[in-house]
Amino acid sequence: MQPDLRTFITDSPERAAAICREGFPVAFPTETVYGLGARLSDEAAIARIYAAKGRPPSNPLIAHVLDVEKVSCLAHDVPPFAHTLFGAFSPGPITLVLRRRPDVPPHAFAGLSTIGIRIPSHPAARQFIEEVGETVVAPSANRSGRPSPTRWQDVLEDLEGRCACILRGDPSEMGLESTVIDCTGRAPLVLRPGSITLEMLRDVVPSAASTSAADLLVRSPGTRFRHYAPRAEVVLIDRPPAIPPPESAFIGLTAPAHAEAWTLVLSCENVAEYARSLFGFLREADARGAEHIYCERVDKTGLGVAIMDRLERAAAG
Ligand code: TXA
Ligand code: MG
């Protein structure tokens, strides 16, 4: 993609799909975060996605399809527990890594023999995929290393002139990327925590497990790279400091004293709001010129696991 190409913004899934069919990456809303999509078979468009994002070539894309019937066209030896997981949580914010069929075009999968498959529930995403008429491969629509986009304006901020089209939608309902689960072994292994929590997975497949950090580096290419980093320094804290530090923003579950002295404050009602707001908040704090972003830790249970995963990566910058 030429960096000086104008980015066309549309509310029409049909127009967005037409541009995608012409071979240009198109950003589209989903219930998790915005994605940047191309057709599974379109090698040139997939190369444009990697170029637009500055994405390492070793990091594979997720295949987005409309229904579970499509899974057998893309994957083989799908274990019964994977069908159970699709049945319980799809369409929705879950991606299953399966063995890729050898006849599937390989360009989006970074040389792996596997494929991550997701069935999104967002109506505009589904209409877009339907109109494209083919499996849509897509990573999150941010520059590599930046927080994932939860609003169409975030996509524009990162990819203006680098993607041909943005299908405009509402802010993302979940705000964190899908739960990614390796289903190529004996039991489901969570590679990336998300809104579908380990507790929820275990309710339907009791053997579901989370991965150790060392195991993750081997199994999940995406975890090897710097992530979710705003320009400001991210500082994890257990409670807000009594006196707001200068040029600092705060996000968490409690209400800090002297809220007016912070550059930006968000006290979330619950972990769902924290998850939904986090990436947008990191971007907003940057836009307001904050030098430091204080993020309150949450318990590592339920959705808190996914929030802490993103916070720890953002702070690791
Ligand atoms: O919610 C989401 O998953 C969003 C929306 C757009 O669907 N997509 C997204 O894509 O977050 P991306 O590329 O930013 O993150 C995909 C993650 C990466 O960590 C990648 O390494 C992992 O999924 N992944 C994809 N295919 C994989 C595979 N075959 N094996 C292991 N990990 C895989
Ligand atoms: Mg991403």
Side-chain angles (χ1 to χ4, degrees), residues 32 35 55 59-60 62 64 114 118 139-140 177-178 192 219 221-222:
T32 56
R55 184 176 177 93
N59 200 1
I62 292 174
H64 296 73
T114 53
R118 173 154 122 75
S140 51
E177 309 86 343
S178 62
R192 180 175 70 184
R219 291 173 183 274

Side-chain angles (χ1 to χ4, degrees), residues 145-181:
R146 300 264 300 140
S148 293
T150 54
R151 304 165 298 203
W152 68 267
Q153 295 94 332
D154 301 339
V155 181
L156 193 64
E157 178 178 82
D158 276 19
L159 299 180
E160 180 159 28
R162 297 181 151 265
C163 81
C165 174
I166 299 173
L167 174 57
R168 174 164 51 192
D170 292 335
S172 307
E173 182 190 337
M174 310 287 178
L176 298 181
E177 309 86 343
S178 62
T179 306
V180 178
I181 303 167

Side-chain angles (χ1 to χ4, degrees), residues 82-103:
H83 287 293
T84 305
L85 294 177
F86 273 132
F89 302 113
S90 281
I94 190 169
T95 298
L96 301 191
V97 174
L98 298 161
R99 290 175 205 284
R100 181 158 49 89
R101 279 177 56 141
D103 56 341

